[in-house]
Amino acid sequence: MARLLALDPSLTATGWAVLDLRHGCVEDVGVIRTKLPPKAKRHHYQGDTDDARVRALAQGVAKLYRIPGVAVVAKEAAAGSRHVKAAKALAYAQAVPVALAVGLGVGELLNVQAEEAKRAATGKKSATKDEVAAGVFARWPEARALVEALKPASIHEHATDALAVAMAVWDSPAVAGLRRFSDGG
């Protein structure tokens, strides 16, 4: 069985979705959350905290890459930031899926701009999180219960963003070819 893994990378909450390419359905969704250690346990250097969060993210992504049949991974590409701390966190979050894909021999890795994911879900480049969720659930109604089961509700948008990334690559040559192969034709 061939599967698509879609990611919405973030150092604090990385959304993910696994889709069955043969049947075109959402199998599972989730969010990899990393936490700051309690203030009393934080080290003097911010880098120590960043290292712990990168490690937690890497462990979560590695588990996803080991799901049987993951043939292609699509991730939202970095959009950039004007703030140094945010840019650094974004760089870490973007590097983890790429480095692990190489290290673990994961197949195709596709990048999707946020605007393209929004357009795939809603038909427009600038959409609200609620509009993206509505578009995703219209395409894959079975995903609603999976997303709503995630607690707390504040993390739902990360999972629906990952599903929007999946929508953006669904008809790409790489994914369409895998879907045809999965169907036996």
Side-chain angles (χ1 to χ4, degrees):
M1 173 182 296
R3 292 184 168 99
L4 164 66
L5 170 63
L7 300 169
D8 174 37
S10 165
L11 193 56
T12 56
T14 292
W16 57 269
V18 177
L19 290 89
D20 176 332
L21 292 175
R22 182 174 187 192
H23 298 106
C25 63
V26 176
E27 292 184 340
D28 203 1
V29 299
V31 176
I32 301 166
R33 297 173 66 197
T34 65
K35 297 179 181 180
L36 285 170
K39 213 169 202 165
K41 292 188 177 186
R42 290 185 199 169
H43 297 278
H44 178 68
Y45 298 104
Q46 177 65 35
D48 295 336
T49 300
D50 290 343
D51 288 353
R53 294 182 105 170
V54 168
R55 187 176 300 112
L57 177 59
Q59 289 169 342
V61 172
K63 284 180 186 175
L64 294 171
Y65 282 3
R66 290 186 186 102
I67 294 171
V70 171
V72 63
V73 176
K75 71 175 187 60
E76 188 174 287
S81 176
R82 293 184 180 147
H83 302 286
V84 174
K85 278 187 174 181
K88 189 169 84 169
L90 185 61
Y92 287 144
Q94 288 290 317
V96 166
V98 175
L100 284 170
V102 172
L104 296 174
V106 172
E108 187 103 24
L109 182 65
L110 307 173
N111 282 292
V112 174
Q113 296 299 322
E115 295 83 12
E116 293 306 312
K118 289 177 184 179
R119 185 190 324 245
T122 67
K124 56 186 182 179
K125 287 190 338 184
S126 58
T128 67
K129 296 291 186 181
D130 289 339
E131 290 171 328
V132 169
V136 163
F137 297 146
R139 170 95 182 245
W140 290 304
E142 71 276 14
R144 181 182 299 274
L146 295 170
V147 170
E148 289 177 352
L150 300 173
K151 303 293 181 208
S154 61
I155 65 171
H156 291 180
E157 69 184 50
H158 303 289
T160 56
D161 284 353
L163 287 162
V165 167
M167 288 178 79
V169 299
W170 192 255
D171 293 320
S172 70
V175 176
L178 286 168
R179 285 196 339 258
R180 281 192 299 279
F181 181 74
S182 294
D183 285 335

